[in-house]
Amino acid sequence: MVIDARPRPGERAPMGHHHTKGRLALYLLLGVSAGLPLFMFSSILSLRLSEHKVGLVVIGFFAWVALLPTFKFLWAPLLDRVSVPGFGRFWGKRRGWIMLAQLGIFTSLCAMAFTATDRSLGVTALCAVLLAFWTTTLEIAADGWRIEIAPDQAEQGPIVAAYLWGYRSAMVVAGSGALIVADIAGWTGAYLAIAAGAFLPFPILAAMRPEGDGGGGRMVALATGLLASATILIGVAGATAAIGGVVLALAAGAGMSATTNVTPVVLLICLAPFVAMALALPAIRRAPADAPIRTSAAIGPYVDIFWRYGSGALVLLAFVSLYRMGDVLAMALAKPLVKGAGYTLTQMGLADGVVALAANMAGVGAGGWIATRWPQGWTLALGAMLAAIGNWAFVWLAHEPPGTAVLVIATFADQFGNGIAAAVFVVYLSMLVNPAWPGAQYAFLSGFAFLLPRLLAGAAGSMEASIGYDGFFLLSGGLSAASVLLLPLVMRVRARDA
């Protein structure tokens, strides 16, 4: 890779020189590219594992794959300072990373397709982690770019809506399409179909005009980029396998197995970040502008959040941790619940395709619209309560005889509520960041927002074994609704001037 700390001349040119239509079209495309893989390493994978008779507790452990995006702040600064050889020089730093990430997504999906028997859960886990890593890398590049070109709330609303329309629509289409294809051609066919769809934006990006003078020519840049990408993909896969082996050995040494109740341990781990941040806060607030912790390229963007917001940062992080709790927890067990209620893969796929797509688009559109017109506190409260109702709809579904109307109503409630919540939440997080470090700070805030929910999602199987499906979905919705109680405090938090 080539170190390049300076912005390239014309870095923002692909956004159509700030023309609104071009900007929205590009972010719709980026949303599609990032949204297609999401279910394939989460809810679709949990359903695939249950079909192969993997225990519910172990399926819950697989939800921890989704923890990886919460730590994206660890490599987000790299995307601001390093260009991908070939791709970066010709198409620009941001598009270069997007193209590399799409290659990573494609190869990871193909690997999951050809290991679809799940005979080796370790290999399945490795492929899922790689898919999560490259999907997250794509999101980091897109998020940093979005905040740079749309710095205020009025501009963020439409561009967030466009991105989420693409993202959540692709996510829903992938979920429904994968289930229908799996019913016809098996899980291998399903993952290969999604891989093909996820790769479609790559040739479109490759056909775009270059950044600057595009030195070297398109074909040379493409060949160099593909060779560098292959090297990077192999290196990342090898490192991931090595780290995974160490983690599994440590878990086995600690006596962790498929029968272990991990919920108490997970709850203690969830408290650790808040304790650590509270202890560090006094020193951060006293740090002068030239202090190493504030000027460091590695940690400076994250220290800045606590320096600006002080103790209010702990309130903000507690709020964002609760806000999307219901959506994340429901994703871990929703499809096993619906399948257990007597619905076929095709029925679930059709509901996810037609109903969920329409509900998502309506919810995201409504969320983007109200985020530009309503007071922030009211938009956040509405999103939280609708998301909670969507979770509680699964409790109702579980007690009704299987029927199309029941599945449609529950699916619509879940997807519409989560669509509104997602849109207003992205706008809210975007307004918290310092424009000096948009990519890194947004990566930290959005990653932390899902840290606690995804930790708990890994214990979903253990929780269901203790309190049942009813208790689990009542609790998950209640946690999302509880975030509203923090809103009076959250709305009083103000950033300190640098």
Side-chain angles (χ1 to χ4, degrees):
M1 289 191 174
V2 179
I3 299 295
D4 180 12
R6 300 168 302 166
R8 290 185 181 278
E11 185 80 9
R12 297 181 184 179
M15 300 311 296
H17 297 290
H18 303 289
H19 288 306
T20 301
K21 289 183 179 179
R23 181 183 298 179
L24 297 182
L26 179 55
Y27 266 84
L28 181 70
L29 175 66
L30 292 177
V32 169
S33 183
L36 280 173
L38 181 62
F39 276 176
M40 307 311 289
F41 64 81
S42 55
S43 59
I44 294 295
L45 179 58
S46 68
L47 185 58
R48 176 177 123 176
L49 292 170
S50 69
E51 289 248 309
H52 294 149
K53 310 302 180 187
V54 177
L56 201 58
V57 173
V58 175
I59 291 175
F61 293 161
F62 268 84
W64 280 331
V65 172
L67 270 176
L68 191 63
T70 68
F71 296 104
K72 59 187 175 181
F73 64 89
L74 295 176
W75 72 95
L78 187 70
L79 273 66
D80 292 331
R81 299 184 61 83
V82 176
S83 290
V84 180
F87 291 162
R89 179 176 295 278
F90 188 85
W91 287 284
K93 189 184 301 177
R94 300 291 189 185
R95 274 190 290 174
W97 277 104
I98 291 171
M99 292 168 74
L100 170 62
Q102 286 187 319
L103 289 170
I105 290 168
F106 177 76
T107 55
S108 300
L109 282 166
C110 289
M112 293 190 76
F114 294 118
T115 57
T117 57
D118 296 322
R119 291 176 183 171
S120 172
L121 293 181
V123 172
T124 300
L126 171 63
C127 297
V129 168
L130 290 172
L131 180 58
F133 174 80
W134 290 115
T135 302
T136 304
T137 299
L138 177 61
E139 293 175 1
I140 293 171
D143 285 333
W145 209 355
R146 171 176 55 79
I147 294 170
E148 288 174 355
I149 63 170
D152 59 50
Q153 186 168 338
E155 290 180 294
Q156 278 290 318
I159 202 168
V160 165
Y163 182 77
L164 288 178
W165 264 337
Y167 185 92
R168 296 185 72 88
S169 298
M171 185 175 69
V172 170
V173 168
S176 63
L179 293 180
I180 295 171
V181 174
D183 227 8
I184 299 169
W187 290 112
T188 297
Y191 274 82
L192 287 176
I194 298 303
F199 193 68
L200 286 177
F202 184 91
I204 297 174
L205 287 167
M208 287 182 174
R209 64 178 179 79
E211 294 285 352
D213 59 8
R218 186 183 304 271
M219 296 310 297
V220 172
L222 185 61
T224 305
L226 290 173
L227 181 60
S229 296
T231 304
I232 295 167
L233 293 177
I234 292 171
V236 170
T240 303
I243 294 170
V246 172
V247 171
L248 290 176
L250 291 174
M256 188 173 177
S257 70
T259 59
T260 304
N261 181 7
V262 297
T263 305
V265 177
V266 169
L267 291 175
L268 288 175
I269 294 173
C270 288
L271 293 175
F274 291 98
V275 173
M277 289 183 294
L279 292 175
L281 194 56
I284 291 173
R285 290 287 280 180
R286 292 193 300 267
D290 59 352
I293 60 171
R294 290 187 60 194
T295 58
S296 166
I299 64 171
Y302 314 126
V303 169
D304 176 75
I305 294 173
F306 297 95
W307 188 90
R308 287 189 300 124
Y309 290 106
S311 58
L314 300 179
V315 177
L316 294 178
L317 293 175
F319 171 74
V320 301
S321 295
L322 281 174
Y323 195 80
R324 301 301 306 280
M325 187 75 75
D327 189 14
V328 175
L329 289 179
M331 189 179 293
L333 295 184
K335 282 189 166 47
L337 177 148
V338 176
K339 186 72 166 59
Y343 293 93
T344 67
L345 293 181
T346 298
Q347 286 177 309
M348 295 165 63
L350 290 173
D352 282 348
V354 179
V355 180
L357 179 59
N360 255 287
M361 293 184 70
V364 168
W369 185 83
I370 65 175
T372 63
R373 290 165 175 80
W374 289 17
Q376 199 170 61
W378 286 106
T379 64
L380 291 168
L382 176 65
M385 294 310 301
L386 289 177
I389 292 170
N391 270 242
W392 295 332
F394 286 111
V395 179
W396 170 72
L397 177 145
H399 290 275
E400 293 292 317
T404 301
V406 173
L407 186 58
V408 165
I409 293 171
T411 301
F412 186 91
D414 176 54
Q415 296 297 327
F416 181 77
N418 286 326
I420 283 189
V424 299
F425 191 58
V426 169
V427 172
Y428 172 68
L429 290 185
S430 300
M431 295 299 100
L432 293 178
V433 306
N434 185 337
W437 294 291
Q441 288 197 357
Y442 187 87
F444 174 81
L445 291 169
S446 60
F448 194 90
F450 291 97
L451 174 61
L452 271 63
R454 285 168 177 162
L455 273 171
L456 288 176
S462 298
M463 295 166 66
E464 191 278 336
S466 299
I467 60 178
Y469 277 125
D470 284 5
F472 177 81
F473 282 96
L474 287 171
L475 175 64
S476 64
L479 289 172
S480 286
S483 66
V484 176
L485 301 177
L486 291 175
L487 275 174
L489 293 174
V490 168
M491 291 295 103
R492 294 194 186 107
V493 175
R494 295 289 183 270
R496 178 168 68 168
D497 289 335

